[in-house]
Amino acid sequence: MRFRLKRLSRKQQQRLSPRIYIQVRDGKFEVMGMGAWYSYWRDPYHLLLTIPWTGFIPLICVFYITTNALFALAYSLGGDCIANARPGSFLDLFFFSVQTLASIGYGAMYPKTTYANIIVTIEAMIGLVGIAVMTGLAFARFSRPTARVMFSRVAVITPHDAKPTLMFRTANQRRNTILEAQMRVYLMRDEITAEGQFMRRIYDLQLLRNQTPNFSLSWSVVHVIDEFSPLYGMTPESLIETNSMLIISLSGIDETVAQVVHARHSYGANEILWNNRFVDIFHHTADGHRYIDYNRFHDVLPLE
């Protein structure tokens, strides 16, 4: 028995094994196209959730106008089937379709033939389903819980309690509290295994404090670089050579909406500053009160 191998077209090859391009930019290891809303055309629901509002609203308007125009064309094929519509007036048929699709109820115009009533029945069913879908999409977009969390532009490696320490800052930009906030930090870098194989390895970084019951102001995240740390023995040069990157993941319960919110951030090798420290943002007033100066949230100073 003989078999013949069929050569696949380029489009079929892309469907079976699509290429994903990766680049290193500004010290960050990035997957090109990650998170782009326009890459989800085969997943319409996800597309309509991720597309910006400036694209979502015009898209809905175009869909609404196109649907009514198609039904107006269907009514025109039935001849004089709509009472009190001007003969040959596509505009009257369009607005009649708008009234039918939105279940508004007719004024002077109404269907007067069996053909028109059949089209009205089809359009009414499509209108009910369409209104439910659009309402659900709008509610899903509005109801998605989001966190407004600010991360310092850079992370620093500085002595803390006489030990080299990785530090960065984060702050809650809303005037509420994120309950049971948890912070996780990961180190990603390129490595070669003992067998000579390349791999992108992920390490968990142990934090001095990885959770807080009330996250309402600011949070200084601290990782001690000891002999058990993946950063132990690394230098600024080795971080760049291995395309190292810090991945930050924060989650907690927003007390306002009582839902879990997430925030993430990343630091490339070029955004980790050695022998620097953050400027103190906690200050005291003359009458003994404390305040936080967020104007210097991102500022660092070199160690003397």
Side-chain angles (χ1 to χ4, degrees):
M1 184 179 294
R2 302 179 63 182
F3 295 92
R4 296 184 61 186
L5 296 178
K6 183 179 179 181
R7 185 177 180 85
L8 298 178
S9 66
R10 178 171 296 181
K11 183 178 292 186
Q12 289 173 328
Q13 292 176 2
Q14 290 176 350
R15 290 179 180 177
L16 290 176
S17 57
R19 295 181 178 180
I20 299 178
Y21 291 93
I22 301 171
Q23 66 177 356
V24 180
R25 183 173 60 183
D26 297 330
K28 292 184 178 181
F29 195 85
E30 298 180 353
V31 178
M32 296 180 63
M34 180 67 71
W37 62 265
Y38 49 80
S39 64
Y40 297 103
W41 291 106
R42 295 182 183 178
D43 190 354
Y45 178 72
H46 196 278
L47 172 66
L48 291 173
L49 288 182
T50 55
I51 188 173
W53 281 104
T54 52
F56 178 78
I57 294 177
L59 183 63
I60 297 303
C61 292
V62 170
F63 177 77
Y64 187 78
I65 293 173
T66 302
T67 302
N68 284 290
L70 292 175
F71 275 105
L73 180 61
Y75 290 123
S76 67
L77 296 177
D80 185 20
C81 62
I82 306 300
N84 299 324
R86 291 174 293 179
S89 175
F90 185 82
L91 194 62
D92 282 359
L93 298 178
F94 177 84
F95 288 123
F96 175 79
S97 174
V98 170
Q99 296 173 16
T100 303
L101 193 67
S103 302
I104 295 175
Y106 303 121
M109 294 185 292
Y110 57 89
K112 65 179 184 179
T113 66
T114 302
Y115 173 84
N117 279 296
I118 293 174
I119 301 299
V120 165
T121 302
I122 297 174
E123 186 173 7
M125 294 177 62
I126 293 177
L128 290 175
V129 175
I131 291 174
V133 171
M134 293 302 107
T135 303
L137 284 172
F139 178 78
R141 291 176 64 92
F142 275 112
S143 62
R144 283 188 300 172
T146 58
R148 292 195 60 192
V149 176
M150 177 172 58
F151 293 88
S152 56
R153 296 191 186 100
V154 297
V156 300
I157 293 181
T158 184
H160 179 73
D161 288 338
K163 295 180 181 179
T165 304
L166 170 72
M167 298 181 65
F168 62 89
R169 293 199 288 214
T170 180
N172 184 8
Q173 293 183 282
R174 291 196 176 114
R175 292 295 180 262
N176 69 345
T177 300
I178 298 178
L179 305 174
E180 301 298 332
Q182 296 185 3
M183 182 77 66
R184 294 184 178 180
V185 182
Y186 306 92
L187 172 67
M188 299 177 61
R189 67 186 178 197
D190 297 343
E191 290 188 2
I192 304 297
T193 65
E195 293 76 20
Q197 295 181 344
F198 168 84
M199 68 179 304
R200 185 75 172 166
R201 183 162 288 176
I202 302 176
Y203 294 93
D204 295 335
L205 297 188
Q206 299 298 320
L207 304 179
L208 200 62
R209 178 168 55 89
N210 64 354
Q211 61 182 7
T212 178
N214 295 308
F215 178 34
S216 56
L217 298 175
S218 67
W219 186 356
S220 294
V221 182
V222 177
H223 165 71
V224 178
I225 304 177
D226 53 19
E227 60 272 17
F228 303 104
S229 170
L231 291 171
Y232 184 75
M234 298 199 71
T235 63
E237 293 76 18
S238 63
L239 286 178
I240 296 175
E241 291 174 358
T242 57
N243 295 320
S244 297
M245 183 171 64
L246 295 178
I247 304 295
I248 318 301
S249 175
L250 185 147
S251 62
I253 302 174
D254 190 303
E255 68 167 355
T256 304
V257 296
Q259 291 183 334
V260 177
V261 293
H262 303 271
R264 60 185 178 89
H265 192 71
S266 63
Y267 294 103
N270 295 330
E271 296 171 326
I272 302 175
L273 304 182
W274 294 65
N275 297 320
N276 281 262
R277 66 176 180 86
F278 283 109
V279 173
D280 191 7
I281 59 175
F282 284 88
H283 303 280
H284 293 80
T285 61
D287 54 0
H289 294 288
R290 295 181 180 180
Y291 69 93
I292 299 177
D293 183 11
Y294 285 110
N295 292 321
R296 308 204 66 185
F297 183 81
H298 304 283
D299 295 348
V300 297
L301 292 175
L303 298 179
E304 297 180 355

